[in-house]
Every structure is written in C-alpha cells, then in structure tokens.
Amino acid sequence: MFDVAVIGAGPGGSTAARYLAKKGYEVCLIDKDKFPRDKPCGGGFSTHLVDEFPYLKRREKDFLKGVCRVGVLHSPNRKTVMRGRVDMAVALRTDFDNVLFESAVDEGATSLAGHRAKSIDISPNGAVVNLGDGSTVTARTLVGADGVTSMVARSTGLNTRWSSGSVTACRVAEIPTKSSFVEDLYTEDREYHFFANLGGLPGYGWIFPKLDTINVGLGIVGNHARGLPMYFDSFVKLLKSEGYITREADLRGVKGALLPTGGPISKSYSNNCLLVGDSAGMVNPITGGGIAYAMSAGKLAAGVLGECLDQGTLDETALSLYQRIWMQQFGTEIKSQLLIQKIFTGPLASTLFEIGARDSSLQDTVSEMMSEASRGRNDVMKLLGRFLYVCLREAMSF
Ligand SMILES: Cc1cc2nc3c(=O)[nH]c(=O)nc-3n(C[C@H](O)[C@H](O)[C@H](O)COP(=O)(O)OP(=O)(O)OC[C@H]3O[C@@H](n4cnc5c(N)ncnc54)[C@H](O)[C@@H]3O)c2cc1C
C-alpha cells in the first residue's frame, strides 16, 4: 500500500509527489499519458517560479525557451496599447512538465504514467484507484491533480461540474518559426502581447514568442464561446495581416482546451483526499495562469499530508488545514483577480485602457499582473486604487 496516490502528473501532481517522496513517503504518480507529453498551454510563467522551486534552476536548460521582457496589452477597440517591462519565462509544456515529472521520480515517486485512473473508492481505511487496465492501486490517501476535467473532483462530490461561465474555452497553437524571425519581429525584448476582449467577447488573445516557436492562443469565457474555432481563425488572419506571424505559419498543431476561470471551488478536501491545481479552480481569472498556483498547492498539499500521515489522521477535519493555508497564501488573491476580470471584460474596458495608457505607474502594475509576476492581493488593490486616483486626477485636472 502506498502512503499517497497522486492522480495526474501535471505541475500540481508532480510537485506534490516530489515533495512527499523527498520526505520519504511511499508515493505513486499516476497519469493517463506517458511522459514526455504535451499539454495545450501558453507556457508563460513568472521568472520568480525558480526561486520558489529552486530544484528547477539546475534543469533550466531542459525547459527554458527564453525570457520575454516587455508585455504589450492591446485594448478591446485596438486603439490603445499599454506597455510595461516585466519578465516572463517561456517554455514548452512538453519539456517543462517532463522536468517536473522526472524530479518527482528522481526523489523516489513510483511512476504509473500511461495508466488512466478510471474511478476511485474512498473508505476510512484509505483509497483504491481503479486503473484503465483493470488493475488497482491502494493508498492511505489521494491527491487529485487531474486537471480541469477532474474525475477525482467529480467522484468526491467536491466539484460535480463547472458552470459554462466559470470556464474559458481556448484554442492554442505553438507555431514553428525561425529564431531569427522571432528576434526580428519581437525585438531583443521578445515583446509578448495580450489582446483584451477581441471582437467584444469576454476573454483574450495572446502571443508568446519563444526560442523557435510562437505561441498563439485565444480564450473566450464558456457561455460566449460558441464559434471559438471561427474566432480563432479570424484572430490568426489578423495576426498574419499585421505581420505578427508569417503568412505561411503552420497551424496544423492547433489544439482546444478548457481552463477554469471562475475562481476556486469552495472546498478542496474530503476524507482521505485533497485537490490541487486546475481540479480545484486554482487559476488567475485575468490571465489564465495556473502553473504557479498548481505547483504552490502541490507543495502545500505535500506538507499537510506529511503531517497528517505522521499523526495517522486523514479525515476531512484534519485535512481542512490545507484549505486554510492555500486560501491564505493565494486563494483570496484569486478572488480579487476575479473582480478585476469582471471589470475588464465589461463594457467599460476600452475606457479603462484609455485611462491606463495615460499613466505609466498603472501600466507597470497592469503588465505585472498580466505576466504572472504579481502574486499578491495588494497588487489588485494597488491597481484599483491607482485607477481611482487617475480618474480623479483627470476629472479635477491636477
Ligand atoms: C490554452 C491554455 C493556455 C494556458 N496558458 C498558461 C500560461 O501561459 N501560463 C500558466 O501559468 N498557465 C496557463 N494555463 C493554465 C495551466 O495550463 C494550468 O493551470 C496548469 O496546467 C494546471 O496544472 P495541473 O497540474 O492542475 O493540471 P494539468 O496540467 O492539466 O495536469 C493534469 C494531468 O492529469 C492527467 N489526467 C487527467 N485525467 C486523468 C485520469 N483520469 N487518470 C490519470 N491521469 C489523468 C493529465 O494527463 C495531465 O497530465 C493555460 C491553460 C490553457 C488551457
């Protein structure tokens, strides 16, 4: 019997498995796919991530595809641009997730990659995971890290379904591009772009230039996303006509995926089970960024499970500590981001951009938020406060 069975080896699951294995617990890491595997994503994250997870530093050459240094935010009516100097690391998820997966296995986690978890049975004595090939895995406790369509969240009743307004439907392509072209077009600063509420729809398009690919994507909030493939095609046409990608850009690799952007679920623990990452809705609703949150949650889950395993109590009262800690560390901040998302996807968005474009301090704060560099509730408050100040300043012309 394992101490912990982790279901899903994305950033959340691999991080939880790594920290648990490092502490000497018997952990298995189950994923339906064999690694390396791809995951539809922009692949952008704060350069500070390696400070929080220092073991990534020595593997940087295996995943880092450059650092984008200037963020450019285009207003919904395309008349205004905000620009700010904030570093964002970029990677291919195939490489990045493989490094995380290997880090867990190197610390002693048992790999069960290539095995789909079909169902789970949880009892006071522990948990049984029924795998696709008919075999079973038993463990004292579970971590559900199986992403936005989490079977573990459904089976435990922690999240039976997302409402259509709480997910964002995305199309994304990693377009192979000559590195000289990337440099010519996106400059030495490798400018990365966000296009807010394209076509008046809530969501955004993005361009993340990498070493020899350009990542292009479009996300639209679920209840407005009917026709997404058509909107994506129009976005690509626009990018071609404005020279952001070449007319011959190879878009055969375009993929669709969902992202939970309606804020975290209200409860992320039950008897013998914790949820981390997308399965619990731990995503920045403004940017769609969830890699860092999933990894932080994985690390916190490992800490709480370690204590509970040592004490021999894995019921939901003991595991509720996990919810308290992650809510304190970043859950409240996601709720504030939700407020900003609602304001910026509303009818006043273009006006807010025009105000923002006249204030360099506001531009810096917005760029930080878009680049994932900002992880604090204070930044959301700073942004709202500065908007208010600029509005008042303009109204009173001082
Ligand atoms: C289009 C798009 C662009 C994005 N861009 C960014 C970005 O630029 N930066 C950023 O920070 N975030 C971005 N995100 C969000 C980010 O991808 C997620 O927040 C992050 O991957 C969450 O990690 P996770 O470990 O919770 O889940 P995932 O990364 O989704 O991993 C879940 C794992 O579980 C496995 N799995 C699922 N079901 C089962 C099962 N039944 N049995 C076994 N295994 C299973 C899957 O194979 C997968 O490996 C983007 C998301 C999308 C969709």
Side-chain angles (χ1 to χ4, degrees):
M1 187 193 249
F2 289 98
D3 292 317
V4 186
V6 179
I7 303 180
S14 286
T15 306
R18 180 200 176 269
Y19 280 96
L20 282 160
K22 192 169 171 59
K23 282 189 199 143
Y25 298 104
E26 291 292 329
V27 189
C28 70
L29 185 52
I30 303 167
D31 201 286
K32 62 181 173 50
D33 293 324
K34 289 195 168 142
F35 281 68
R37 62 99 180 93
D38 189 27
K39 144 91 195 160
C41 187
F45 48 86
S46 164
T47 46
H48 299 307
L49 194 70
V50 287
D51 301 332
E52 195 179 340
F53 300 95
Y55 58 93
L56 292 177
K57 188 85 196 153
R58 61 176 184 275
R59 297 289 309 268
E60 262 182 1
K61 65 173 184 358
D62 297 325
F63 66 81
L64 196 63
K65 293 287 180 196
V67 176
C68 300
R69 303 211 180 269
V70 170
V72 185
L73 184 54
H74 302 255
S75 69
N77 60 13
R78 303 285 320 277
K79 287 188 180 155
T80 319
V81 160
M82 286 200 245
R83 195 179 280 276
R85 181 165 283 279
V86 182
D87 288 355
M88 179 178 75
V90 282
L92 300 181
R93 285 293 295 270
T94 312
D95 303 332
F96 184 67
D97 286 24
N98 194 46
V99 164
L100 298 179
F101 172 76
E102 285 181 354
S103 303
V105 174
D106 288 351
E107 291 295 350
T110 300
S111 162
L112 284 174
H115 292 271
R116 178 182 290 276
K118 258 177 62 184
S119 60
I120 51 171
D121 300 305
I122 297 181
S123 71
N125 302 328
V128 177
V129 185
N130 304 300
L131 300 179
D133 63 2
S135 62
T136 56
V137 170
T138 54
R140 290 172 68 194
T141 185
L142 288 182
V143 172
D146 46 346
V148 64
T149 57
S150 173
M151 174 276 290
V152 180
R154 275 195 313 281
S155 305
T156 49
L158 290 171
N159 185 25
T160 47
R161 64 183 289 273
W162 299 105
S163 67
S164 61
S166 61
V167 285
T168 291
C170 305
R171 302 272 289 168
V172 61
E174 197 80 61
I175 305 169
T177 312
K178 273 194 190 136
S179 45
S180 56
F181 178 80
V182 179
E183 184 130 342
D184 285 351
L185 209 77
Y186 295 91
T187 74
E188 266 191 358
D189 285 330
R190 287 187 188 263
E191 293 184 341
Y192 53 104
H193 296 255
F194 290 98
F195 299 80
N197 303 352
L198 273 170
L201 294 162
Y204 68 88
W206 70 86
I207 313 175
F208 293 172
K210 302 184 185 175
L211 202 59
D212 47 13
T213 60
I214 298 174
N215 185 290
V216 166
L218 177 68
I220 299 177
V221 176
N223 44 5
H224 296 263
R226 189 183 285 240
L228 174 65
M230 189 186 73
Y231 296 129
F232 182 73
D233 289 347
S234 309
F235 180 46
V236 166
K237 264 194 203 136
L238 176 101
L239 298 183
K240 284 184 177 175
S241 69
E242 296 190 4
Y244 287 107
I245 52 177
T246 63
R247 297 228 165 247
E248 304 72 44
D250 178 359
L251 281 131
R252 278 174 300 181
V254 60
K255 289 179 180 165
L258 283 180
L259 183 62
T261 45
I265 60 173
S266 54
K267 187 168 171 241
S268 57
Y269 60 94
S270 64
N271 289 324
N272 300 73
C273 183
L274 295 180
L275 296 182
V276 303
D278 279 13
S279 65
M282 297 171 179
V283 167
N284 179 333
I286 310 172
T287 63
I291 295 171
Y293 287 144
M295 292 179 67
S296 298
K299 187 176 173 182
L300 293 175
V304 170
L305 285 178
E307 278 180 33
C308 292
L309 281 163
D310 293 349
Q311 287 162 9
T313 40
L314 292 154
D315 60 17
E316 65 169 24
T317 310
L319 294 184
S320 65
L321 174 65
Y322 166 66
Q323 171 101 9
R324 286 201 295 282
I325 300 180
W326 77 257
M327 274 306 287
Q328 205 177 31
Q329 287 208 1
F330 58 82
T332 327
E333 124 195 357
I334 296 181
K335 289 188 173 169
S336 315
Q337 292 158 355
L338 203 54
L339 176 69
I340 299 277
Q341 185 230 38
K342 293 215 183 317
I343 296 172
F344 271 90
T345 52
L348 287 178
S350 285
T351 313
L352 292 173
F353 270 84
E354 277 160 30
I355 295 169
R358 293 199 286 270
D359 188 82
S360 62
S361 164
L362 255 180
Q363 296 204 24
D364 289 346
T365 312
V366 170
S367 306
E368 270 183 36
M369 292 181 75
M370 298 306 291
S371 73
E372 304 293 316
S374 143
R375 297 261 329 255
R377 186 164 189 268
N378 288 345
D379 295 300
V380 175
M381 291 329 212
K382 196 166 109 191
L383 182 75
L384 288 175
R386 188 75 198 175
F387 259 113
L388 200 62
Y389 167 76
V390 176
C391 289
L392 281 173
R393 187 184 64 189
E394 304 234 336
M396 301 171 80
S397 305
F398 58 87

